[in-house]
Amino acid sequence: MSRLQPRSSAFNLLPLRQVLLVSRPALWVNTLGVAVTGLWLSGQLWNMSAGWLLLLVYLSLPFNLLIYGLNDFSDMAEDARSERKGGWQGARLRSGEENSLLWLILALNLPFLLALAWLLSPAAYGVLLLCAGLFAAYSLRPLRFKTRPFLDGLSNVAYALPLLIPALMVGAAVPALACAALCAYAVGKHAFDAVQDIPADADAHTRTVATTLGAPGAARYALAWFALAGALLWPLSPLSSSALWLVCGGMALRLLRRPTSEQAARLYPLSIVSPWIVGAVSGVQLVYVLAKG
């Protein structure tokens, strides 16, 4: 009987629920929404090709599994101490699931990356690879930017870079100002979200921007980046800029008034929906523009 048993659990399938928890569907908007915005800005939103559809599919489950799966793989010690893991805010990997997760990430990402290499232009594909590389470097050694204060947040500009892919693909003007605003927003949001993990990260001796600055300093740091993001967005859309200042600046100010990891955890649901709120405001403007022809 022993000869019939597998030598390792590398090929055991993870339950679908666990796969979805790892990929965090509530956060898919951070990749899909940015790409859709890029399609809109480049005039390709209503000119969908097979390449665009494949890119959007890739930026859903496969790409987010890469982002958060590698993160959960590297953060098993911290996640074991975090009360918020094991539910909608992210998975808590069980012992023996690591190999299965890594194989699944590889199996879901490689085919898409190979196909997109043929469908995207070299510049667009280079940006996609840069995004994947930054997210991998955030979680994996030897770089593991998560443990390098300030680099941890700055590497999160990878969330903004898919905005450039459609323009690079069709030779349209690159939305540099919009991309810069999204970069600033991503850095600020990372710092804000990291505050709730200060106790778990400190117990695991993991240095982050939040453990380095402390809750008050991280709140001020996030507020500064949100202020910059709104300022960069203002020339493009004062309404979207105001929404960003109101929602993101407001939650940073609330954290600054009570700078604790518990307060950050209470505000985290608002942080999760902040892209949806600002995106909805931008979407209303899009519908208005389309209605006006």
Side-chain angles (χ1 to χ4, degrees):
M1 291 292 292
S2 62
R3 293 181 180 179
L4 299 178
Q5 294 175 352
R7 292 186 177 181
S8 73
S9 61
F11 295 95
N12 291 346
L13 292 177
L14 290 176
L16 178 60
R17 181 179 183 275
Q18 184 73 335
V19 173
L20 290 175
L21 285 178
V22 171
S23 70
R24 307 181 196 182
L27 303 181
W28 291 6
V29 66
N30 295 328
T31 52
L32 277 172
V34 170
V36 170
T37 303
L39 288 169
W40 168 30
L41 293 175
S42 63
Q44 298 298 304
L45 188 59
W46 305 114
N47 188 28
M48 285 292 214
S49 64
W52 295 138
L53 291 174
L54 191 67
L55 177 65
L56 293 179
V57 172
Y58 174 59
L59 292 177
S60 59
L61 174 63
F63 195 58
N64 283 277
L65 193 66
L66 180 146
I67 296 172
Y68 302 113
L70 294 180
N71 184 63
D72 290 346
F73 170 78
S74 298
D75 286 353
M76 289 185 67
E78 293 90 332
D79 291 348
R81 298 174 173 86
S82 177
E83 296 180 356
R84 72 186 184 92
K85 292 299 177 71
W88 67 273
Q89 296 189 44
R92 182 182 289 116
L93 290 182
R94 296 181 288 268
S95 178
E97 290 184 334
E98 311 97 292
N99 288 338
S100 298
L101 177 60
L102 292 178
W103 278 108
L104 185 58
I105 292 171
L106 195 64
L108 286 181
N109 278 266
L110 271 184
F112 279 97
L113 288 173
L114 290 173
L116 289 168
W118 288 93
L119 294 170
L120 298 180
S121 69
Y125 188 66
V127 169
L128 183 62
L129 288 182
L130 176 60
C131 293
L134 284 172
F135 284 125
Y138 177 83
S139 297
L140 298 180
R141 291 180 174 85
L143 294 177
R144 206 185 179 207
F145 290 142
K146 178 177 178 176
T147 63
R148 301 174 185 270
F150 302 103
L151 277 179
D152 53 355
L154 292 173
S155 68
N156 272 233
V157 300
Y159 281 109
L161 297 182
L163 187 78
L164 305 176
I165 292 177
L168 292 172
M169 183 64 185
V170 300
V174 172
L177 200 56
C179 186
L182 276 176
C183 286
Y185 165 79
V187 177
K189 189 174 186 302
H190 173 272
F192 181 90
D193 292 345
V195 173
Q196 64 187 317
D197 292 325
I198 287 178
D201 287 336
D203 287 345
H205 305 291
T206 300
R207 294 187 64 214
T208 68
V209 65
T211 61
T212 300
L213 295 176
R220 285 190 289 268
Y221 184 73
L223 181 61
W225 282 105
F226 290 148
L228 176 61
L232 291 169
L233 193 58
W234 182 269
L236 301 175
S237 171
L239 190 59
S240 297
S241 175
S242 299
L244 191 152
W245 280 332
L246 180 64
V247 176
C248 300
M251 67 187 189
L253 286 171
R254 287 182 64 184
L255 179 59
L256 193 55
R257 290 182 61 186
R258 186 179 298 176
T260 65
S261 57
E262 293 79 13
Q263 175 72 341
R266 283 190 289 269
L267 291 169
Y268 184 62
L270 178 58
S271 176
I272 289 289
V273 301
S274 63
W276 295 90
I277 296 172
V278 179
V281 172
S282 300
V284 168
Q285 296 172 85
L286 170 60
V287 171
Y288 174 77
V289 170
L290 293 174
K292 293 272 291 183

